[in-house]
Amino acid sequence: MKVLVAVKRVVDANVKVGVKSDGTGVDIANLKMSMNPFDEIAVEEAVRLREAGVASEVIAVSCGVAQAQETLRTALAIGADRAVLVESAAELQPLAVAKLLKALVDKERPSLVILGKQAIDDDSNQTGQMLAALAGLPQATFAAKIVVARGRATVAREVDGGTQTLSLQLPAVVTTDLRLNEPRYVTLPNIMKAKKKPLETLKPEELGVDVTSRLKTLKVSEPPKRSAGVKVADVKALVEKLKTEAKVL
Ligand code: AMP
C-alpha cells in the first residue's frame, strides 16, 4: 500500500513574522523556513505505517519554489522513500495545491493520502478537504489516531468536546492533528541517507493543472496594538473601573 504525504515549506514556527510596509503580504525574505509542523506529523505517521508493515512505500510531495526540495529532503530523512516536487514560482493557493495533489493521486494511486490539518502560514485548513472532493475520496480531518486494516482506515478525529471515530474505505484522505504522534528527531545518518533518495521534479503543466490564483489579497495588516494597562490603587478602585469602564467586547 502506497502512502502519499503532502508537505509544505513555511516560515519556521518559532520565527516572528511582520507585515510588508505596502500591506501586500507577510515579509518572509531571509527568514528561516521549515516543514509545516502538521506535515511533520503526517510524514511521521506514514513512516510508522511503513515500519509496521502496513504501508509499502511513502512518497512525500511538495508544491512550490525550488527550495521546497529542502523540505522534501527533511521528509526523506524522517523516512519517506521518495519525493516529488511540483515546482512553481507562482503563489499556490489551496485549490491549486489540491488540484496538483489530485493529479498526483491519479498518477500514483496511493491507498492513503495524509496532509496536515492546516498550514501555519495561511491557516486555510482547506487543501485536504478540497483534494478529497476533487478526487471523490472519503476524508477524515483532524486525526488523533489512524488504524489501517482490511482495506479500511479507522480514524479518531478531534472534534469539539471529544473524539469522533470514522471508518473510511481506502483509498482515503486524512489530515493530521497535533495529538496524532510526536515526530522523531532526524538524525545525521538519516540526513545523509536522504540525500541519495530519489527526488523527482515536475511542473504543473506536466500534470495538466492551471494554478492561476482564484483569490486576490486586498490587504494584510498587523493586529491592532494593545494599549498599556493601568494600575489601580485598591480593590474599591478596581470595582469602580469594572463598573464604569469595562466593556463587553
Ligand atoms: P492549508 O489548507 O493551506 O491550511 O494546508 C493544509 C495541508 O495541505 C498542509 O498541512 C499540507 O499538508 C498541504 N499543503 C498545503 N499547501 C501545500 C503545498 N504547497 N505543498 C504541499 N502540501 C501542501
Side-chain angles (χ1 to χ4, degrees):
M1 162 180 129
K2 273 192 201 177
V3 182
L4 194 75
V5 190
V7 298
K8 186 176 187 187
R9 177 179 185 262
V10 296
V11 174
D12 189 272
N14 299 310
V15 172
K16 194 174 172 338
V17 291
V19 170
K20 286 185 195 164
S21 53
D22 62 2
T24 55
V26 171
D27 192 0
I28 59 164
N30 305 318
L31 295 184
K32 179 172 186 246
M33 306 295 283
S34 297
M35 186 187 299
N36 181 45
F38 293 105
D39 305 350
E40 272 185 66
I41 295 173
V43 179
E44 175 68 34
E45 194 65 19
V47 171
R48 286 187 192 186
L49 286 170
R50 204 211 40 232
E51 288 168 348
V54 176
S56 53
E57 189 182 30
V58 175
I59 309 157
V61 181
S62 193
C63 309
V65 291
Q67 292 91 321
Q69 282 187 27
E70 293 161 21
T71 318
L72 287 170
R73 289 286 169 209
T74 305
L76 294 169
I78 297 172
D81 299 290
R82 62 185 171 94
V84 180
L85 169 66
V86 184
E87 193 181 335
S88 170
E91 183 208 341
L92 297 175
Q93 291 170 350
L95 181 59
V97 176
K99 287 180 182 172
L100 293 170
L101 294 175
K102 150 83 168 70
L104 284 170
V105 165
D106 290 345
K107 189 166 178 260
E108 299 280 355
R109 302 254 150 228
S111 299
L112 189 61
V113 187
I114 313 182
L115 303 90
K117 75 168 176 182
Q118 71 192 51
I120 61 164
D121 52 1
D122 58 22
D123 276 340
S124 293
N125 184 347
Q126 294 175 347
T127 311
Q129 295 89 325
M130 286 177 168
L131 168 63
L134 291 171
L137 297 177
Q139 61 172 302
T141 49
F142 314 125
K145 188 167 185 215
I146 305 174
V147 177
V148 178
R150 292 179 292 280
R152 299 190 78 85
T154 306
V155 181
R157 304 181 57 233
E158 307 243 353
V159 292
D160 268 357
T163 308
Q164 179 193 48
T165 304
L166 296 179
S167 171
L168 317 178
Q169 173 151 14
L170 299 180
V173 175
V174 174
T175 74
T176 63
D177 214 324
L178 269 186
R179 270 180 280 261
L180 182 59
N181 62 49
E182 204 173 306
R184 68 196 68 184
Y185 284 104
V186 287
T187 60
L188 191 58
N190 284 340
I191 293 173
M192 301 311 287
K193 263 192 236 162
K195 292 188 189 203
K196 298 207 182 83
K197 292 186 181 177
L199 194 161
E200 181 189 1
T201 301
L202 297 170
K203 297 275 184 212
E205 309 82 73
E206 290 174 73
L207 294 169
V209 176
D210 170 14
V211 294
T212 312
S213 298
R214 298 292 198 274
L215 306 171
K216 190 169 165 227
T217 302
L218 300 179
K219 191 172 147 219
V220 177
S221 51
E222 301 264 1
K225 295 249 178 307
R226 290 180 67 176
S227 48
V230 286
K231 271 194 179 172
V232 289
D234 50 30
V235 174
K236 193 164 163 273
L238 173 65
V239 172
E240 189 53 32
K241 279 206 180 295
L242 285 174
K243 269 197 210 154
T244 56
E245 292 179 27
K247 293 184 210 119
V248 179
L249 292 175

